[in-house]
DNA sequence: TAATTCATGTAAATCGTTACATGATTAT
DNA sequence: ATAATCATGTAACGATTTACATGAATTA
């Protein structure tokens, strides 16, 4: 039933399964951690997709508030669809510009490659430190309800930045060693 | 000039900057590490994109071989475009189903969430071990030329798997602690 | 009252995937 | 001979982005 480009629908089902929200609030979620590490989407794809999910009975409008806002929640069918997608392994599909740049570093001449690596090492350090600072004030257990989401995500981000930072430093060392060995 | 969904063109420029190749060989590169961690693409998008890059003078055909195969190489303009893309920071765009699943774990009930996490912990261990085994036979310096590419990529993959594995084990512990604290 | 934020939408263009299609060369 | 691999392409459909558009409620 599902073609494979359709993860937006599952992202929406997942967010709504955590907590009912409006299209506007969903849009904000995508511009936070979710969009940063996992899946990005703008309101122009979110609103039509909510309509399709509602047509298929996977979400429903549970509340209408000020300024025409509509709160959506997952239906039992929607939760079943989400659960199936989460538990069924599928061949992973990836599209990450940042990682693409890392892979293409060896296509540049060494000086340019080093410049790119140094920038990566720097921003991963800055961003990682910021996330770590945020997590210090957080509780030591996964919060129940909606906040558990951000908790898992933040820790993922920290470890992600640390890994990329370590890799960049490793690559810089390797590249510098090669530059020393074969001088231009 | 460039709209932002256009990283395929830069992936192609990068691969061709490392080494001239045919569309068929480029397609194979995308089904290896590149497609696994950074950017996936099939031959049906690669061939038309090569045509467009050639029209714009960023790549050129340098050889035609058996079975109608055409070898492409980057032109100086193409290298300039690649360099600019590599060195100019842009807001990152991410789309990764695997990571999306990780983020949505707290949307499932704890038993399902644990099942997903355990699968993640397992496959990251298996895949990481396999890559590490491959890297043991590799030289201790970045190989010059085309092989440098795979070297950087493999090390990236190893660190990536380790990071996700560590995160999954951390999350499993946290979830189990919560399950103990608030029994159903 | 002016600016900002909240809140939703449509249309055109671009991009990507799936399905379909063809034929040459090499290995068994 | 047959199967597998090499090598390229097109067309239809689906997904995504960019640009355009509107208006209500809140804050300064």
């Amino acid at each position: 039933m599902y073609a494979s480009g359709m993860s937006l629908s599952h992202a929406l089902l997942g967010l709504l399964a955590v907590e009912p929200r409006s299209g506007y609030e969903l849009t904000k979620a995508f511009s936070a951690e979710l969009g940063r590490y996992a899946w990005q989407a703008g309101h122009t794809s979110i609103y039509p997709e909510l309509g399709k999910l509602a047509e298929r009975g996977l979400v429903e409008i549970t509340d209408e508030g000020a300024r025409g806002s509509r709160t959506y929640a997952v239906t039992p069918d929607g939760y079943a669809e989400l659960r199936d997608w989460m538990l069924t392994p599928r061949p992973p599909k990836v599209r990450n510009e940042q990682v693409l740049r890392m892979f293409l570093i060896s296509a540049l001449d060494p000086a340019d490659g080093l410049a790119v690596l140094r920038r990566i090492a720097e921003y991963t350090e800055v961003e990682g430190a910021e996330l770590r600072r945020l997590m210090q004030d957080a509780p030591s257990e996964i919060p129940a309800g909606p906040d558990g989401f951000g908790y898992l995500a933040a820790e993922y981000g920290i470890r992600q930045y640390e890994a990329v930072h370590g890799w960049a430093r490793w690559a810089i060392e390797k590249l510098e060693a090669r530059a020393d060995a074969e001088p231009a």
Side-chain angles (χ1 to χ4, degrees), chain A residues 42 46 51 56-57 64 87 90-92 97 103 160 167 173 180 183:
Chain A
I46 292 168
R56 294 170 54 208
E64 313 210 7
L87 292 169
R90 283 173 181 76
E97 287 197 9
F103 273 46
Q160 189 67 20
W167 172 84
E173 236 176 69
D180 291 346

Side-chain angles (χ1 to χ4, degrees), chain A residues 104-180:
Chain A
L104 295 181
I105 278 166
S106 55
L108 296 179
D109 45 74
D112 289 340
L114 274 172
V116 174
L117 284 168
R118 291 200 180 103
R119 180 181 311 132
I120 292 170
E122 197 185 337
Y123 88 74
T124 47
E125 185 150 37
V126 172
E127 305 270 351
E130 197 181 320
L131 266 183
R132 231 174 284 118
R133 198 166 42 68
L134 282 174
M135 274 296 263
Q136 270 176 356
D137 306 332
S140 68
E141 283 193 7
I142 299 178
D147 292 336
F149 177 81
Y151 193 80
L152 288 175
E155 181 71 21
Y156 178 85
I158 289 171
R159 289 166 186 258
Q160 189 67 20
Y161 282 128
E162 278 170 359
V164 175
H165 182 76
W167 172 84
R169 290 180 62 86
W170 168 89
I172 288 168
E173 236 176 69
K174 290 283 180 182
L175 260 186
E176 283 175 342
R178 190 168 77 172
D180 291 346

